[in-house]
Amino acid sequence: MPLCYEEIVSHGSLGDPAEGLRRLVLRGSAAATARPGQFLHVRVSDRLEPLLRRPLSIAAIDRAREEVTVLYRVRGRGTEALAQRQPGERLDVLGPLGNGFSLPEKGELWLVAGGIGIFPLYALAQAGLARGLEVRLFWGGESRGFLESAGLGQWSDLRIPLHLSTMDGSLGDKGAVTVPLGGYLKLNQTGPAKESQAARRGRSAEEARAAGSRRSAPGVEATEAEAAGVEALEAEVAGVESAGGKRSAGGCPAGQPPRDLSWAVCGPRGMMQAVAELGVARGFRVEVSLEERMACGVGACLGCCVTVRDERGRRSKRKVCQDGPVFPGREVVWDVTE
Amino acid sequence: MLPNEKKEAKGAGVELEVCLGGLTLKNPVIAASGTYGFGREYEQYCPVETWGGIAVKGITPEPRAGNPAPRLTETPAGVLNAVGLENPGLEEFLKSYLPRLRNLPTAVIVNISGFSVEDYALLARSLGREAGIAALEVNISCPNVRHGGLQFGTDARSAQEVVAAVRRETDLPVIAKLSPNVTDIRELARAVERGGADIISLINTLLGMSIDVEQRRPVLGNLFGGLSGPAIRPVAVRMVWEVYQAVALPIIGMGGITGWQDAVEFLLAGASAVSIGSGNFVNPRVPLQVLEGLEGYCRRQGFSSVQELTGLAQTELARRTHKGFARG
Ligand SMILES: Cc1cc2nc3c(=O)[nH]c(=O)nc-3n(C[C@H](O)[C@H](O)[C@H](O)COP(=O)(O)OP(=O)(O)OC[C@H]3O[C@@H](n4cnc5c(N)ncnc54)[C@H](O)[C@@H]3O)c2cc1C
Ligand SMILES: Cc1cc2nc3c(=O)[nH]c(=O)nc-3n(C[C@H](O)[C@H](O)[C@H](O)COP(=O)(O)O)c2cc1C
Ligand code: FES
């Protein structure tokens, strides 16, 4: 039954409490059918204020334990009320709802995230790795503190190449995620590197361990080796200047789109537009996860509609809750005035 | 006979069926137009046959794309929406939606909207020929393009004209849905009664606005929106009370119902049935809980039929104040 009362297994701060991020683990029937990119429509309290449910993405799925994880940022009264809920309580949840990301059969999967847009991509990364895809993450955030709070450690543990950026330049490139993404695309022309995934994984695994150990012992000064590891990670995330240059030697010829390259994009609207335009222009399969205010969450109220266009340019409306939240990047009409 | 004298009704089954003029419903709980899609969307959460009836999303002669996003925002205990009557249009509705709707195990009410009297007449003529429609609900909260965008529903003369045009085209029960954005709701109720309405439903949404103070701009793409949800319930109950006094037509009351007590409140004020809109967003099983609560209330209070509740707060008040009281 998609209307369920999930048990709160654990609920607390994610990373530094000052970042206002929370991690909520629910046990119940949602896990059995949940797919990456789907969301839950959560009734945050039993009261009539705040009234509406809040849509929150499924960040991780553990079918064996019948658990799903939701990661969220406390923004306003809905998420504030949700933050009060305690382990052991039951949460009234609709879902899993929506279509989710499509998981390619083979090839490369690039995940591109802005800020907390990272949350729904973790489950996708896990699913992609389980299928043997070559997974790579581009992620931009406010600061090093934010990225570390929002799960950089867990991402490092996946041992995939990470390309990071921060607005304040405290980790990775300075700027939005389009900086490392654009840099990597340029270095590799339009194609991905031929360097084996295994080699890259091996390297990033070491870097990740180093980064992880430093993070896990805050306040403890990093050893020289660890510090070197972090620097190596930073070099890679800063736009692959060192290693990336070498890799691109084996990249695809300019203008020729690589085979089997899919992008999954989630973040603020402007960032998704910029990223989608980069990918669509190169002929990649780009999927974006859109956000709209929701009331019903099931397709009944038409509150969440966005404009899309087909191959012939004909425009129509789609419901983010039911037809999305994931849409092909080429279909989305980004600037809608009417 | 006082309700508490009806001891024999206690424990016995409570009659939930209600008759509103030519419209008979197996129970008095209806899904409100625009909040329940086309009857399919909530299927997995609550069986559609739970409802006494469902009012589908407002249909216009031509398809409409609706307003730009954002179309929704939440206000204290309320929802502000500016969907802008997005709908597939009459032709597509007849082709792709009605065939399935007419087989649903509940009364299907088709909500119609237009921008001219002719629009309404055309919809009524076409839908009036179709089988499987229990009633037409005329949404008069639409801008009248001929009259500078003034809503049909805020001008008694236009409201009467629209309802009369629909009445001429169909034998189906005609429900006139009133807008609350008026000074005197009784005047509009009398106008639609003169126009030939069989039933009055109220209230539609209250016109409202919300401004994002950080960005210093209106939240909704359309600037204004319609307010619904618990926040509007006292306004709606007052208007049902007034309309019950003003006209002899049966009333479908709505506005902010989220539980059985709210439904009972509307019935006691003068409604013969109730609709639930925004309440579905909060809890898709709300009709089940309302029906259960309603039945329990009737049993406890000694009523054998929910129809006995209609307007009871008014008659009891009249009796208590020893004032003569007559409807109409
Ligand atoms: C499909 C989907 C998946 C989402 N997944 C996540 C997630 O995994 N983690 C997470 O932290 N957030 C997620 N969000 C956003 C989340 O739903 C909103 O942050 C939340 O509803 C805000 O509620 P609030 O009561 O705390 O804030 P409000 O008091 O309602 O608003 C606070 C601010 O948030 C904005 N806002 C409110 N609702 C939305 C919305 N639906 N979309 C965009 N902006 C909104 C308002 O304009 C306001 O500025 C998702 C949204 C969608 C549509
Ligand atoms: C999203 C939304 C869409 C609506 N669309 C329509 C419509 O198409 N036609 C109509 O007559 N009323 C429409 N309404 C009004 C409702 O049917 C109802 O009159 C109003 O919401 C008050 O009831 P509630 O407080 O239970 O929601 C809509 C309401 C909402 C919230
Ligand atoms: S939220 Fe109601 S249709 Fe999408």
Side-chain angles (χ1 to χ4, degrees), chain B residues 180 203 206 231-240:
Chain B
I203 60 176
L206 277 158
I232 72 170
R233 204 178 75 229
V235 177
V237 172
R238 183 263 294 175
M239 288 188 163
V240 167

Side-chain angles (χ1 to χ4, degrees), chain B residues 32-34 57-58 81 85 111 139 177 203-204 228-229 254-256 277-278:
Chain B
S33 173
K57 176 68 193 170
N81 94 83
L85 284 174
N111 184 274
N139 175 9
K177 183 161 178 182
I203 60 176
N204 211 314
S228 62
M254 73 190 94
S278 309

Side-chain angles (χ1 to χ4, degrees), chain B residues 168-254:
Chain B
R168 272 194 297 278
E169 300 290 349
T170 183
D171 296 327
L172 287 172
V174 173
I175 307 169
K177 183 161 178 182
L178 301 188
S179 161
N181 303 308
V182 295
T183 311
D184 187 354
I185 194 77
R186 292 167 300 187
E187 202 188 314
L188 275 297
R190 289 188 202 103
V192 298
E193 185 177 46
R194 283 195 300 274
D198 301 297
I199 301 163
I200 289 177
S201 65
L202 76 165
I203 60 176
N204 211 314
T205 54
L206 277 158
L207 199 59
M209 183 176 195
S210 183
I211 295 173
D212 184 325
V213 297
E214 297 299 330
Q215 302 195 41
R216 292 190 288 278
R217 66 167 188 235
V219 173
L220 296 178
N222 187 54
L223 309 188
F224 297 169
L227 183 63
S228 62
I232 72 170
R233 204 178 75 229
V235 177
V237 172
R238 183 263 294 175
M239 288 188 163
V240 167
W241 181 282
E242 288 183 322
V243 170
Y244 184 76
Q245 295 187 351
V247 298
L249 300 178
I251 297 167
I252 300 170
M254 73 190 94

Side-chain angles (χ1 to χ4, degrees), chain A residues 39 54-57 71-73 75-79 116 119 291-294 325:
Chain A
F39 67 95
R54 295 297 193 266
L56 295 170
S57 302
L71 305 175
Y72 66 96
R73 161 172 271 165
R75 288 184 73 157
R77 51 203 177 133
T79 43
I116 60 169
F119 292 158
E291 232 182 63
E292 231 9 283
R293 314 277 183 104
M294 292 184 182

Side-chain angles (χ1 to χ4, degrees), chain A residues 39 41 292-305 319-322, chain B residues 41-42 72 281:
Chain A
F39 67 95
H41 212 25
E292 231 9 283
R293 314 277 183 104
M294 292 184 182
C296 71
V298 300
C301 75
L302 307 180
C304 65
C305 292
K319 301 169 199 168
V320 170
C321 67
Q322 200 180 37
Chain B
E41 295 78 2
Y42 276 109
L72 280 179
F281 307 155

Side-chain angles (χ1 to χ4, degrees), chain A residues 5 30 47-48 51-52 64 128 160 168 194 212 220 243 316 328 330 333-334:
Chain A
Y5 292 89
R47 308 187 167 200
L48 296 176
L51 184 67
L52 297 176
I160 59 172
D168 64 2
K194 274 202 183 140
V220 180
S316 57
R330 72 187 133 73
V333 177
W334 296 100

Side-chain angles (χ1 to χ4, degrees), chain A:
Chain A
M1 197 68 187
L3 183 149
C4 35
Y5 292 89
E6 306 271 305
E7 186 193 337
I8 301 178
V9 178
S10 69
H11 191 189
S13 284
L14 175 68
D16 180 357
E19 294 284 345
L21 304 176
R22 313 266 305 170
R23 181 167 182 270
L24 172 66
V25 180
L26 301 173
R27 183 180 300 134
S29 56
T33 59
R35 290 193 313 271
Q38 288 190 304
F39 67 95
L40 301 176
H41 212 25
V42 179
R43 186 154 179 209
V44 294
S45 83
D46 298 335
R47 308 187 167 200
L48 296 176
E49 172 58 36
L51 184 67
L52 297 176
R53 291 167 183 268
R54 295 297 193 266
L56 295 170
S57 302
I58 294 166
I61 305 157
D62 188 336
R63 286 204 219 293
R65 302 171 82 158
E66 300 185 318
E67 286 176 5
V68 293
T69 301
V70 167
L71 305 175
Y72 66 96
R73 161 172 271 165
V74 178
R75 288 184 73 157
R77 51 203 177 133
T79 43
E80 267 160 25
L82 178 59
Q84 307 305 314
R85 305 297 299 266
Q86 299 298 320
E89 289 179 10
R90 296 205 159 244
L91 204 57
D92 176 350
V93 157
L94 293 188
L97 299 175
N99 58 356
F101 291 104
S102 45
L103 192 60
E105 285 300 320
K106 54 187 170 45
E108 282 197 51
L109 178 60
W110 292 14
L111 310 174
V112 190
I116 60 169
I118 190 73
F119 292 158
L121 297 181
Y122 189 77
L124 182 63
Q126 285 185 311
L129 291 171
R131 187 169 276 193
L133 305 178
E134 292 193 29
V135 183
R136 172 182 293 279
L137 174 71
F138 298 84
W139 181 19
E142 214 41 56
S143 62
R144 177 185 205 122
F146 168 81
L147 294 182
E148 289 181 343
S149 284
L152 183 57
Q154 283 93 317
W155 281 95
S156 301
D157 292 343
L158 291 179
R159 299 169 186 192
I160 59 172
L162 307 177
H163 307 259
L164 309 179
S165 74
T166 49
M167 296 315 282
D168 64 2
S170 51
L171 183 63
D173 286 347
K174 189 170 186 338
V177 68
T178 42
V179 178
L181 177 66
Y184 187 74
L185 280 171
K186 208 164 164 191
L187 274 173
N188 292 276
Q189 280 132 9
T190 55
K194 274 202 183 140
E195 183 196 28
S196 80
Q197 174 88 353
R200 265 175 286 156
R201 250 194 227 170
R203 197 179 51 248
S204 63
E206 267 180 26
E207 294 155 0
R209 262 194 297 282
S213 62
R214 180 160 132 172
R215 202 190 33 267
S216 61
V220 180
E221 255 181 75
T223 64
E224 261 175 53
E226 280 169 346
V230 171
E231 256 164 48
L233 172 69
E234 282 167 4
E236 166 147 9
V237 301
V240 273
E241 275 141 319
S242 49
K246 266 178 264 145
R247 263 183 245 159
S248 67
C252 295
Q256 188 187 317
R259 295 181 303 270
D260 292 331
L261 180 52
S262 305
W263 289 12
V265 189
C266 188
R269 195 177 167 90
M271 166 261 163
M272 287 198 285
Q273 175 177 3
V275 171
E277 282 167 359
L278 275 178
V280 169
R282 287 168 171 76
F284 302 152
R285 278 191 304 271
V286 178
E287 287 188 333
V288 295
S289 180
L290 297 183
E291 232 182 63
E292 231 9 283
R293 314 277 183 104
M294 292 184 182
C296 71
V298 300
C301 75
L302 307 180
C304 65
C305 292
V306 292
T307 307
V308 297
R309 69 170 162 246
D310 63 15
E311 312 87 67
R312 291 200 232 148
R314 276 181 313 210
R315 292 183 175 207
S316 57
K317 296 281 184 186
R318 289 282 181 282
K319 301 169 199 168
V320 170
C321 67
Q322 200 180 37
D323 306 317
V326 178
F327 292 89
R330 72 187 133 73
E331 286 183 10
V332 177
V333 177
W334 296 100
D335 308 297
V336 196
T337 45
E338 63 175 60

